């Protein structure tokens, strides 16, 4: 395995996460014994995979103290309250813009409207996301991003991480019955890479607060579950325009008016 800590992290994150996803994918195609309800517990692996990978690499390099450092940014409350508002409301704006663009351009929409009472769907999506997305952020933004920003400008670090992050999701496109299995891969992939720039902007602007990036992640997934009529292509277009505007406004070196966050 390469000596690069980000490469080590990524290989481990993929290995741990796909250990949970692949059996579920096989089950969806009628392969293997994984259709039993108790095999659903395997989905804990992708929820925790990036965090566990980051913990392993940090423990090997810095011991218990290094592992503890990974989680401190999750509780970084000493920041302007406006950033919590941005993290909560920006996803709503992005999805509403994408829905408007979908209707204006007449783009095809994949997937059905939310089933059941909207409030129940929203609460369920918020709770599930709250239990999984912060642990993803510990790996992607808490570990990988600052190490990439040691070597690269923020825009390049965002691009690299966005590609890694997008490919990490690949098994979901083979999971029969999962909404992502019907998504057009390349527009979705372009969108997720662009979205990585938005996370970097939030992360650097708040001096490395995983609380803010986690809230952004949670609300993105929540609004994705409750706002219907959004084309994958339209959403990708909105993300790409937002990423380009951030680079134009804040510059690609730091993607923020603050210094980009590097690993200590």
């Amino acid at each position: 395995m390469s000596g690069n800590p980000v490469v080590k992290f990524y290989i481990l994150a993929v290995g741990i996460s796909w250990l949970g996803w692949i059996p579920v994918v096989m089950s969806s195609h009628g392969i293997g014994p994984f259709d039993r309800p108790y095999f659903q517990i395997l989905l804990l692996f992708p929820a925790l995979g990036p965090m566990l990978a980051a913990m392993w690499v940090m423990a090997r390099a810095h011991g218990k103290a290094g592992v503890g450092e990974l989680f401190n940014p999750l509780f970084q409350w000493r920041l302007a309250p406006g950033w919590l508002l941005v993290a909560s409301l920006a996803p709503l704006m992005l999805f509403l813009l994408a829905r408007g663009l979908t209707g204006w351009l007449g783009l095809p929409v994949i997937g059905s409207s939310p089933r059941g009472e909207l409030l129940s769907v929203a609460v369920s999506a918020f709770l599930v996301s709250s239990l999984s997305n912060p642990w993803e952020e510990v790996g992607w933004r808490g570990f990988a991003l600052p190490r990439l920003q040691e070597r690269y400008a923020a825009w390049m670090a965002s691009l690299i991480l966005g590609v890694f992050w997008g490919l990490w999701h690949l098994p979901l496109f083979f999971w029969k019955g999962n909404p992502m299995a019907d998504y057009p891969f390349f527009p979705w992939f372009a969108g997720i890479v662009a979205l990585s720039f938005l996370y970097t902007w939030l992360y650097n602007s708040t001096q490395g607060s995983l609380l803010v990036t986690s809230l952004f992640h949670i609300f993105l997934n929540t609004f994705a579950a409750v706002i219907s009529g959004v084309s994958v292509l339209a959403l990708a277009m909105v993300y790409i325009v937002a990423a380009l505007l951030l680079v134009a406004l804040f510059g690609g070196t730091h993607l923020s008016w603050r210094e980009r966050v590097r690993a200590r």
Side-chain angles (χ1 to χ4, degrees):
M1 191 182 294
S2 171
N4 188 316
V6 176
V7 173
K8 288 181 181 179
F9 156 77
Y10 189 67
I11 291 171
L12 285 168
V14 167
I16 295 168
S17 302
W18 288 21
L19 186 64
W21 271 329
I22 288 176
V24 177
V25 170
M26 292 172 63
S27 171
S28 73
H29 291 274
I31 302 170
F34 303 110
D35 57 345
R36 310 284 181 177
Y38 46 78
F39 279 110
Q40 293 298 307
I41 198 170
L42 291 173
L43 292 178
L44 286 173
F45 284 109
L48 302 177
M51 178 193 71
L52 294 175
M55 288 175 64
W56 189 89
V57 176
M58 285 294 282
R60 297 279 293 181
H62 305 289
K64 291 182 180 179
V67 173
E69 287 178 11
L70 280 173
F71 295 93
N72 292 335
L74 271 177
F75 309 100
Q76 190 172 319
W77 288 95
R78 297 181 62 184
L79 47 85
W83 285 111
L84 300 178
L85 197 61
V86 169
S88 304
L89 295 182
L92 176 61
M93 292 177 57
L94 292 167
F95 273 94
L96 290 179
L97 284 170
R99 186 167 72 173
L101 187 61
T102 299
W104 183 47
L105 297 178
L107 297 172
V109 176
I110 297 170
S112 56
S113 300
R115 296 178 181 178
E117 185 186 354
L118 202 60
L119 180 59
S120 299
V121 173
V123 170
S124 176
F126 181 82
L127 290 175
V128 170
S129 298
S130 297
L131 292 172
S132 59
N133 296 154
W135 315 126
E136 272 194 60
E137 290 306 306
V138 168
W140 299 123
R141 255 58 63 172
F143 179 84
L145 180 58
R147 281 158 183 80
L148 286 169
Q149 290 191 139
E150 278 187 293
R151 181 177 297 185
Y152 305 106
W155 76 269
M156 178 59 78
S158 303
L159 181 64
I160 294 169
L161 187 57
V163 170
F164 283 175
W165 187 32
L167 294 176
W168 174 78
H169 289 87
L170 199 57
L172 296 176
F173 286 84
F174 299 93
W175 181 351
K176 191 176 179 180
N178 186 286
M180 286 181 64
D182 297 321
Y183 287 0
F185 177 75
F186 290 107
W188 175 88
F189 185 74
I192 205 77
V193 172
L195 186 59
S196 179
F197 284 67
L198 277 68
Y199 279 94
T200 299
W201 168 66
L202 287 170
Y203 182 78
N204 287 340
S205 296
T206 57
Q207 295 181 293
S209 172
L210 293 183
L211 173 63
V212 169
T213 61
S214 294
L215 276 176
F216 184 70
H217 201 155
I218 289 165
F219 278 101
L220 267 178
N221 286 352
T222 300
F223 288 122
V226 299
I227 298 178
S228 58
V230 178
S231 162
V232 174
L233 178 57
L235 193 58
M237 292 167 68
V238 168
Y239 288 157
I240 291 168
V241 170
L244 291 173
L245 286 174
L246 289 175
V247 172
L249 184 59
F250 296 98
T253 303
H254 303 293
L255 261 178
S256 168
W257 284 327
R258 294 179 179 270
E259 188 84 7
R260 70 182 183 269
V261 178
R262 299 172 175 90
R264 296 174 183 175

